[in-house]
Structure formats: structure tokens, C-alpha cells
Amino acid sequence: MIRPTMARPKGTAAAIGRSLRLYRGAEAPAAAMDALYRRFVRPSDLVFDVGAHVGDRVAAFRRLGARVVALEPQPGPARALRLLHGRDPDVILVAAAVSDAAGEVVFHLNSANPTVSSACADFVAGAAGAPGWEGQVWDRRITVPATTLDRLVAEHGRPAFVKIDVEGFEDRVLAGLSVPLPALSFEFTTIARDTALRCLDRLAALGPYGFDVALGESQALRFGRLVGRDEMAAHLVALPMAANSGDVYAVLRA
């Protein structure tokens, strides 16, 4: 969910408005998104959306008939989620980050482009001067509550699918998971490939996962089949810097 090169409006409210237009407006790829997630999500399934932002994925999961636990620690996007989904009994909204331990984390806010706010200081440092990330400013830090995937499973049940989009913090999210889940996705960026490799290692340690990948917001799986950890790692390492970002999909093999 990364589009760092787009024009950055001034002020958090304007930035949230841009996100709503971009991700939930008339030109958002809702049909393609639904077709992609239909591979992993069935009616009545439980889904965790970690890093829900303004809820475009929440909306997709609900269109597919799933129940959703959506986590978003940023105050602005969290308010948008409450307005859009707060009255839906099949959506539980949690104003928290997900990490490797419950407690609190420091969150780096990009007020003008909140879609790239992050709890990962290394991610913020890696973006400095990187191609495609020019002009991005993380201008505030706040402390937010944090939970873990294990705790969410204990509280809400075992999800059929987990979407993780947390700007370089994905490995910390997966470090808080001790049991394999049927399917999940995690975002990667070409400025933080080591994070993606740690995610692959963590999932390989949890169970016999196979992987595919979708670049950017294409909503299209690149391989069209499940590949092993080593093949996926080699693919991510070989991507040009200009690829910028995408999502790795992991499915637990029988």
C-alpha cells in the first residue's frame, strides 16, 4: 500500500482525504482486489487486517462475507475506520499496533502521507535519500499500544487469512506468532528486503508454506503457483529498486 511519489497534501486531514479517494474512491480496483482475496477468504471466515489504514481491505473482506478484526494505531485513519465500519457488527476495530510482544511501541508518523507511517525506525532511516522516497518526512512520534498475533488469536479465534501491511515492521509482527495459520500476506519494500527475508524465514520455521507475490497494487499474483522459500527469496532480492513494494502471499500446504 505504498505510493510515496504521489503529491503530498498539507495536513493530516487532507492526507486522510487523499487516502480515502485513492483507496476507496470510484477508481479503486475493488473488483480486482475481491478476485485476489477470494482465493484465500470464504464467507463467514475470520480475517485479521493488520495495518488497516482507511479500510480498503476491510471493505473487500466484508464484500466477500468475512468477519474482520482490523488494527490501525494511527489516530487519523482510526477515526476514518470508525466512521466507515464502526457500526458493522462483523468488524472489530482495534486502535493498536501488532508487534512481537504486547505493550507499547513508538510510532513514526508521516502526517502528510500517513500510508507510510511506521513503527520501524530502520525503515524510516532506509527511506532517507532512497529513489522514489524523495520528500517523505516522518515529522512526529507517538507511543501506541501493541498486541501480538498470538494474543489476537486467543481473543478472537484462528483466522483463515491475515493481511499485514506495516511499513517495515512485518517481521516483528510475525515474530509474535507461534502457530501456523492457513494463509496470510505481508508487504515488502525494496528498501527493506532484509525484513521480507526474515518474514520468509519465520514462516518457513512455523510450517510448510508456499509463496506467491503481487507487485505494487496490481492485485495480480506473479507466479500463479506456490513456490518455496528459497525461490521467493531469490525473486525478491532480484527485483529492481524501482519495483518499490508489493505483497507476498503465504499458504500453508497440506
Side-chain angles (χ1 to χ4, degrees):
M1 196 181 291
I2 294 184
R3 297 176 182 268
T5 59
M6 302 190 75
R8 296 165 59 244
K10 296 180 179 179
T12 301
I16 297 300
R18 186 199 68 166
S19 286
L20 288 168
R21 291 189 299 274
L22 180 63
Y23 297 119
R24 305 198 61 157
E27 296 185 7
M33 190 179 296
D34 293 356
L36 174 61
Y37 286 123
R38 193 172 286 113
R39 296 169 179 256
F40 311 104
V41 176
R42 297 177 182 273
S44 300
D45 276 350
L46 176 64
V47 175
F48 294 167
D49 186 342
V50 179
H53 195 49
V54 294
D56 57 323
R57 266 64 175 181
V58 176
F61 299 140
R62 291 297 293 124
R63 289 192 297 268
L64 296 175
R67 299 170 291 124
V68 184
V69 178
L71 295 104
E72 176 53 56
Q74 296 184 76
R79 283 193 294 272
L81 284 171
R82 287 195 299 270
L83 289 171
L84 291 163
H85 297 287
R87 295 185 180 182
D88 186 341
D90 286 321
V91 176
I92 297 174
L93 301 176
V94 182
V98 180
S99 187
D100 55 346
E104 295 180 331
V105 297
V106 175
F107 207 80
H108 302 259
L109 294 179
N110 186 322
S111 299
N113 195 10
T115 189
V116 296
S117 294
S118 175
C120 182
D122 289 342
F123 173 85
V124 172
W133 292 84
E134 296 86 352
Q136 295 300 312
V137 178
W138 287 263
D139 53 331
R140 291 178 56 207
R141 290 188 295 176
I142 60 174
T143 300
V144 301
T147 187
T148 68
L149 285 177
D150 278 347
R151 181 168 289 195
L152 290 168
V153 171
E155 292 174 350
H156 302 286
R158 186 173 185 251
F161 184 78
V162 180
K163 171 235 142 187
I164 306 168
D165 183 348
V166 289
E167 314 309 318
F169 209 62
E170 290 80 8
D171 58 336
R172 294 280 295 276
V173 173
L174 289 174
L177 178 66
S178 62
V179 295
L181 299 176
L184 59 85
S185 68
F186 65 86
E187 189 189 43
F188 74 89
T189 65
T190 53
I191 61 170
R193 297 179 213 241
D194 287 349
T195 298
L197 298 182
R198 287 191 292 270
C199 290
L200 293 174
D201 289 342
R202 178 60 180 163
L203 290 170
L206 286 175
Y209 279 96
F211 303 94
D212 207 334
V213 64
L215 295 182
E217 289 289 331
S218 67
Q219 317 300 332
L221 295 175
R222 191 73 175 262
F223 289 94
R225 59 184 174 86
L226 295 178
V227 303
R229 181 265 173 211
D230 291 347
E231 187 172 352
M232 179 55 65
H235 179 75
L236 296 180
V237 169
L239 285 172
M241 182 67 74
N244 190 272
S245 67
D247 296 283
V248 174
Y249 290 80
V251 176
L252 191 63
R253 300 179 195 259

